[in-house]
Structure formats: C-alpha cells, structure tokens
Amino acid sequence: CGNFPSNGPDLAFSFHLASPSYLFASQSGNATSAPTLKLHQSSCANAPVSCVSSRTTNQLVGFQTSAQPTGDYVIVADSQVGNGGNYSLVVSRADTLGDGCADARTITLSGTRAIVAGDTTIFNRTFAPSCESANSPGAPDALFRFVAPRTGTLTVLATPEADFDLNLSVRSGSSCSTSAEVPSACDDDGNNGDPEAVSLPVSAGTT
C-alpha cells in the first residue's frame, strides 16, 4: 500500500476473533525503517483488509477497520526500502467505535503520541461544538476518552480521509455527558479536506 514497495523484512502474527469486532492496530518505526502495517483475513495470501504505510522513518502508523466477521486473521509488521529494526506493535479490538458517551474509545499514548482512525458515517450526533462551521451543521461525531498521564501541553490533530469539513473539539469533566468544551479548544476552518488542530495545557489525571 502507499504506492511504493514494502520490501523490508517482516513478521506475521495470527489471531482469532471469537465474535464480530472492530480492529485497531498501530506500528512504530525506527531510525532505519519506515513502517508498513497490513491485516489479512484467513491467510497472508489474501489481499489485505487494511493497509497503512509511511514513507519516512521514525513514524507511527495505524488503522481502524470496519466490523470484521468471526474468523482467523494475520497482521504483518513490515517496513519500506529493505530496512529492518526494532518496532512496537499494538493491536486491540472493540465492539463499538465511539458513537456516544457510553461507547467513547480510550486513547492511550505510546511514548508521547497516539494515532487512531475512524469513520463517523453511520454515527449519531452527541455534542454541538461551539466552532461548528456552516459546512458541517448537525454532523455526526466520534467520541474519545483521554486521561492526561502527566502535566504538559496536549496537541490534537485530526485529518479527514475524504473531502468533507471536519470539526475538532476537546471537552473536560468528570463524565462525558456532563463535560464542557474547553475554552479555545475547538477548531473548524470550514474548508473541505483540511486538517483541524487544537493545543491546550493539561494537568496529570485530567479527563
């Protein structure tokens, strides 16, 4: 995937889904390899269900699948341009994707960053962000829960994979349903396809 060869050394891992699930996976690269991550159903000989790749070294790549049926799967940690090295691979499953407070997905940092992917097409609308543009009134949203592991600055970047206007906002509170939008932590430039970003100070233990 990525329109360039994944001809570096690789490792394959197999697992079984006992029930239909959404799958999440991330792989970090190192100083000499650019990561490529592939998911196959049943066998490596089958076309990838999901594939994500980076052109550069020291990058973190990841994907979220649509609902996958019960069965056997193989996930392949690969690399670009013939180089190998140490890497970190994280794979998890979930019954939900963050459609509403009760289903909010938890984000956990790997070092100083985390990457998630999703699709809000069939989601409901939970909150009305203060900076919502005219291009996205009443749009569905995906909810994520993050507890700051330390005091510092949190930067969140969201990039749409399709040509639509994305909105990004950060809320805080003891519970999702009673949370309040953090002042100046909402971004929507009103342009289709543009990434949105917010940065804000956080204290250790704050949700």
Side-chain angles (χ1 to χ4, degrees):
C1 57
N3 297 321
F4 43 93
S6 299
N7 55 4
D10 53 33
L11 282 173
F13 304 87
S14 62
F15 61 94
H16 178 78
L17 286 181
S19 61
S21 305
Y22 298 96
L23 296 174
F24 312 95
S26 65
Q27 177 192 347
S28 64
N30 55 60
T32 61
S33 69
T36 296
L37 190 59
K38 292 177 279 189
L39 175 70
H40 303 264
Q41 186 174 14
S42 300
S43 168
C44 291
N46 295 328
V49 174
S50 292
C51 184
V52 63
S53 186
S54 172
R55 289 180 180 270
T56 56
T57 60
N58 277 328
Q59 296 296 306
L60 183 70
V61 297
F63 61 71
Q64 167 200 294
T65 70
S66 57
Q68 298 300 306
T70 299
D72 296 322
Y73 292 83
V74 178
I75 191 162
V76 180
D78 201 349
S79 60
Q80 300 292 334
V81 297
N83 296 325
N86 297 328
Y87 66 91
S88 176
L89 175 65
V90 178
V91 182
S92 61
R93 61 158 298 277
D95 297 317
T96 59
L97 290 177
D99 184 15
C101 282
D103 299 328
R105 288 172 55 190
T106 297
I107 293 178
T108 302
L109 296 182
S110 175
T112 59
R113 59 184 177 173
I115 184 170
V116 296
D119 186 343
T120 61
T121 303
I122 62 173
F123 283 11
N124 297 299
R125 177 178 173 86
T126 304
F127 293 113
S130 64
C131 63
E132 188 172 57
S133 76
N135 283 344
S136 57
D141 49 26
L143 306 185
F144 300 87
R145 182 178 184 271
F146 173 75
V147 179
R150 50 189 171 269
T151 298
T153 300
L154 172 67
T155 298
V156 185
L157 173 67
T159 303
E161 292 189 0
D163 189 24
F164 70 96
D165 180 26
L166 185 69
N167 178 281
L168 177 66
S169 62
V170 176
R171 306 176 67 87
S172 184
S174 58
S175 71
C176 174
S177 59
T178 60
S179 63
E181 187 178 292
V182 177
S184 301
C186 188
D187 188 30
D188 186 346
D189 65 10
N191 295 321
N192 292 342
D194 283 0
E196 312 291 351
V198 298
S199 291
L200 64 152
V202 294
S203 299
T206 302
T207 300

